[in-house]
Amino acid sequence: MRKPKVVCICGSTRVGSFNARLLEVAAQSLAKQGAETQLVDLESLALPLYHPDRELESFPEAALALKRQLTAADGIVITCPEYNGMPTPVLLNAITWATRGEGGMYDGFKGKVASVMATSPGPMGGARVVAVLQRLLADMGSIVIPGHVAIGGSMKMFPPDGSVDER
């Protein structure tokens, strides 16, 4: 039986990001359960800000590679900090590029099982961004795992020593 392929994306590019640490824990858990995980580093993609004219002039190879990676996957896991209740601009830009170019607009998302998680120092843990991303993914045809995985108190969950609170 083929291992399921899961693309893992963190909406934060900040050094020491709590959401990046959460994604690492999720990817490790998926791998232990038999999935093949592929981490996407949004910063290394260096995608330009999406603009329709730029798309017509020269489609970025990194955007094409991201769309192909998402299209070939069975599932998607996204962790993202909350910026005023919304996803980060770098994540929204990557998602926008992944809906453009060759193939169908939502090929990278349609029929994919998707999970969205967030963590933050505050008590809400990023619950608003989880809801926004779940809706966005569902609108693009993803099968979104219900429920809000929003972990408050990230400084305690992911202390500076690199350990992780197992709860």
Side-chain angles (χ1 to χ4, degrees):
M1 186 159 105
R2 180 179 72 77
K3 289 182 174 186
K5 294 180 184 177
V6 181
V7 173
C8 301
I9 304 171
C10 180
S12 174
T13 57
R14 183 179 66 79
V15 173
S17 164
F18 294 121
N19 281 279
R21 292 183 63 196
L22 176 59
L23 187 66
E24 288 172 22
V25 171
Q28 289 169 1
S29 177
L30 288 166
K32 285 179 188 173
Q33 295 176 58
E36 176 187 323
T37 59
Q38 302 169 338
L39 295 172
V40 173
D41 179 0
L42 294 180
E43 188 162 22
S44 71
L45 290 180
L47 291 169
L49 184 61
Y50 177 77
H51 190 288
D53 294 342
R54 184 173 287 137
E55 176 185 358
L56 296 174
E57 292 166 5
S58 175
F59 199 85
E61 185 59 39
L64 183 59
L66 176 61
K67 185 171 185 173
R68 286 178 180 158
Q69 187 176 21
L70 287 166
T71 301
D74 301 299
I76 304 165
V77 173
I78 297 175
T79 61
C80 189
E82 186 175 283
Y83 283 19
N84 300 314
M86 299 299 290
T88 61
V90 69
L91 177 62
L92 289 175
N93 190 54
I95 289 171
T96 301
W97 275 113
T99 64
R100 312 305 296 170
E102 67 183 32
M105 186 174 202
Y106 299 132
D107 285 356
F109 302 94
K110 194 180 302 178
K112 312 299 177 189
V113 175
S115 178
V116 180
M117 298 179 280
T119 187
S120 75
M124 295 290 292
R128 295 182 303 172
V129 75
V130 170
V132 168
L133 285 168
Q134 286 177 327
R135 174 67 188 263
L136 176 63
L137 290 165
D139 287 350
M140 293 189 296
S142 294
I143 303 160
V144 179
I145 296 173
H148 286 70
V149 178
I151 303 168
S154 56
M155 290 180 183
K156 291 179 184 173
M157 295 293 167
F158 304 100
D161 67 4
S163 64
V164 175
D165 184 323
E166 290 303 318
R167 291 178 287 155

